[in-house]
Amino acid sequence: MVLLTGILLIAIAKSYRLVLYKGKDIHIMHKFFTFAQIALASFFCILLSQSAFAQEPEIAAPSAVVIDADTGTVIYEKNKDERNFPASITKVMTALLSIEQSENDYDQRISFSHDSIFSLESGSSNIAMNEGETLTLHDALFGLMLASANEVANALAEHFADNKADFAQKMTKRAQELGATNTNFTNAHGLPEDTHYTTAYDMSLIMREAVKQPFFLELISSKQYEIPPTEKQVLARVLNNSNKLIQPHTEFYNENVIGSKTGYTDEARHTLVTYAEKDGKKVIVVTMHEEKSNPYIDTSKLIDYAFTQYGNVVLFDRDINKKTLAVMQEFNDGLINIGKAELRADDSVIKFLPLNAVNDIRYESKLPHYAVPPIVSGTTLGQINIYCKNDLLETVSLKSTADFEKLTITQMKDQDLVAPNVSSDKLKYLIPFFALGVVATLVCSVYLVRRARGV
């Protein structure tokens, strides 16, 4: 206990930021505290944090991660950066890229070439599309995500790029833009290739971006979908979602799960990426290289654990985080300080976040060097941006708490801001006389020195 307290004190002293745990609430206070206050707060921090944090679950997955969908904060990780074959969770990126490039035109037709169908190994996931057949993008995306149809992945790649290889390069590039730098895609469907790989953490970043798309959420949350007859198929195609986490009749049903994408190949084993929500908490869970039903069991364990790791974080306290700003007025081609404006926010900022997100919180102040009157109380004179990693959480406007009028010369004299007996108009006439006096003094000094030396 003593050692732990000492470590915590050092960490606090270095950051000059006190983090107080109140049950499951965290208060970040940007002030200097006495040693006694810090020690006392640290003691309670240790005691309360032990009850606030649940024990990490034991899972079978060799690689897994849980992140907060809003901030990207890692809540749990186990070999999160270990490279694995993704199998069909690859299609999360295929869907995301297709949606982003669609320009919200889901009625555009996706055509199925001979190669998109017959380049695939026999028996891989499909919806029995025919060469020359077409689907709307809307129907194709349901075929991709619910039935995990590999020929649909190929057709989308051919539609949104010059060829399948070019689309795979776009997938990799988009992944890197999202921070998924340990990922390389060589196809749109996820069937194994030596250089087709990703990590649990990278897939969580890709899923985090995907769930921002309303249509993607509709895709992964749908239990069933019917593709109507086409020009080459007289019967409707009925698609069923194989994700057991959203099927109420299964033993693995989890009411907090919005949707998932499953994957399986002999090389990748079972992979699963899931999005869940509860009481404002939003998490993404990824498990990789699992066996049998373990992905569903592990995912539910991780979801339950993650939801215990949230609390109200006071990011900005308006009564503590006040600023002052000099008020400067022009005078005689310069500036004169006529006072200080106190700046305060209208409200404090409280966010419901993972408790360990405080480690990733940073602040960016944007204040001018000074303000110029007139200033009306309530005028915004600056702002503070609050970030979690690189994500902007909140922008706080800082406003003046008082009025400042432009002062007259008389008012400046009354407040001893300028010399009381010399007006600015008279002052400019006196300057030449002062200069002449200095010159005369120098001349006289030189004369006297020369005379004393007998020169």
Side-chain angles (χ1 to χ4, degrees):
M1 174 67 76
V2 174
L3 177 61
L4 187 57
T5 304
I7 294 172
L8 187 58
L9 288 174
I10 293 171
I12 293 172
K14 286 186 176 181
S15 64
Y16 300 107
R17 182 167 67 180
L18 181 62
V19 180
L20 297 179
Y21 288 75
K22 301 176 181 177
K24 290 186 181 179
D25 293 357
I26 295 181
H27 196 113
I28 304 176
M29 304 177 71
H30 298 271
K31 291 188 74 176
F32 292 97
F33 289 81
T34 67
F35 182 84
Q37 287 173 311
I38 294 176
L40 183 62
S42 302
F43 175 75
F44 283 107
C45 174
I46 294 168
L47 292 181
L48 294 174
S49 63
Q50 288 176 343
S51 62
F53 288 88
Q55 185 176 0
E56 288 189 352
E58 292 288 334
I59 63 171
S63 177
V65 73
V66 184
I67 67 169
D68 173 60
D70 286 333
T71 65
T73 298
V74 175
I75 300 173
Y76 170 92
E77 68 98 1
K78 179 181 179 182
N79 300 321
K80 68 180 176 66
D81 297 317
E82 182 177 272
R83 288 183 179 179
N84 284 288
F85 294 123
S88 283
I89 61 175
T90 297
K91 296 179 174 100
V92 173
M93 177 54 87
T94 305
L96 172 61
L97 205 55
S98 298
I99 290 170
E100 289 179 339
Q101 294 189 357
S102 72
E103 297 180 347
N104 293 320
D105 177 13
Y106 296 110
D107 292 326
Q108 57 187 291
R109 307 296 297 188
I110 309 299
S111 180
F112 287 76
S113 68
H114 177 87
D115 188 59
S116 69
I117 298 169
F118 295 104
S119 63
L120 297 165
E121 62 185 49
S122 177
S124 71
S125 301
N126 68 88
I127 54 172
M129 293 302 295
N130 300 293
E131 183 178 349
E133 192 173 3
T134 64
L135 293 176
T136 64
L137 175 59
H138 184 276
D139 291 344
L141 286 170
F142 271 102
L144 178 79
M145 296 302 290
L146 265 66
S148 204
N150 291 327
E151 80 272 39
V152 174
N154 277 342
L156 289 168
E158 292 175 348
H159 182 80
F160 287 110
D162 294 336
N163 51 61
K164 295 192 293 292
D166 181 56
F167 187 80
Q169 290 178 0
K170 289 184 176 182
M171 292 169 65
T172 300
K173 182 175 183 290
R174 185 71 178 102
Q176 291 174 345
E177 290 171 353
L178 298 173
T181 56
N182 242 338
T183 291
N184 187 68
F185 293 120
T186 57
N187 62 62
H189 42 67
L191 291 176
E193 295 182 26
D194 288 344
T195 55
H196 186 90
Y197 57 81
T198 188
T199 67
Y201 181 62
D202 281 8
M203 280 308 307
S204 72
L205 298 178
I206 294 168
M207 186 69 163
R208 182 188 175 210
E209 187 67 19
V211 298
K212 295 176 184 178
Q213 298 285 347
F215 185 47
F216 182 86
L217 286 177
E218 181 183 343
L219 291 170
I220 63 172
S221 62
S222 297
K223 299 176 180 64
Q224 189 179 78
Y225 184 77
E226 184 176 294
I227 297 177
T230 68
E231 65 271 67
K232 292 199 173 187
Q233 173 61 266
V234 296
L235 298 176
R237 292 177 170 93
V238 179
L239 313 178
N240 293 300
N241 196 327
S242 63
N243 177 22
K244 295 179 181 179
L245 290 171
I246 65 170
Q247 303 291 350
H249 62 277
T250 71
E251 62 178 308
F252 301 110
Y253 174 67
N254 188 316
E255 64 180 359
N256 298 314
V257 171
I258 303 301
S260 306
K261 182 69 191 81
T262 60
Y264 176 83
T265 65
D266 288 342
E267 293 82 358
R269 311 310 295 164
H270 291 276
T271 58
L272 185 64
V273 55
T274 300
Y275 175 61
E277 292 183 359
K278 180 183 179 182
D279 300 331
K281 310 164 193 173
K282 302 174 183 178
V283 298
I284 291 165
V285 181
V286 182
T287 61
M288 303 194 76
H289 208 78
E290 290 246 57
E291 299 296 333
K292 298 180 181 179
S293 58
N294 285 340
Y296 297 121
I297 297 172
D298 284 348
T299 295
S300 285
K301 283 182 179 179
L302 291 171
I303 289 171
D304 292 343
Y305 167 74
F307 286 157
T308 68
Q309 304 303 294
Y310 280 75
N312 288 319
V313 180
V314 182
L315 298 173
F316 187 91
D317 190 321
R318 71 180 298 270
D319 295 322
I320 294 174
N321 302 114
K322 296 177 288 188
K323 300 285 186 181
T324 58
L325 188 65
V327 180
M328 309 291 285
Q329 182 172 322
E330 292 183 359
F331 180 75
N332 286 344
D333 299 323
L335 293 171
I336 188 167
N337 190 327
I338 66 169
K340 287 186 177 181
E342 181 183 89
L343 309 184
R344 297 184 67 174
D346 288 335
D347 300 293
S348 297
V349 177
I350 303 173
K351 290 284 186 182
F352 195 64
L353 298 171
L355 298 183
N356 63 347
V358 297
N359 300 319
D360 300 319
I361 299 298
R362 62 184 180 87
Y363 298 80
E364 179 185 73
S365 295
K366 290 190 174 182
L367 294 171
H369 294 298
Y370 58 86
V372 177
I375 300 170
V376 178
S377 177
T379 300
T380 298
L381 297 177
Q383 68 180 43
I384 293 179
N385 294 328
I386 306 174
Y387 294 88
C388 184
K389 294 183 178 178
N390 293 321
D391 292 320
L392 179 64
L393 296 182
E394 192 84 18
T395 295
V396 180
S397 295
L398 298 177
K399 301 177 180 180
S400 174
T401 60
D403 296 330
F404 286 86
E405 296 293 338
K406 192 170 183 178
L407 300 182
T408 64
I409 295 296
T410 301
Q411 290 172 322
M412 290 184 186
K413 292 177 183 178
D414 292 342
Q415 297 180 31
D416 294 328
L417 299 176
V418 296
N421 296 322
V422 182
S423 69
S424 60
D425 289 336
K426 293 179 180 178
L427 187 61
K428 63 183 180 181
Y429 294 114
L430 292 176
I431 291 175
F433 293 102
F434 287 133
L436 186 60
V438 170
V439 172
T441 301
L442 289 173
V443 171
C444 290
S445 298
V446 172
Y447 171 76
L448 292 173
V449 169
R450 290 170 63 89
R451 184 176 179 182
R453 291 177 178 176
V455 179

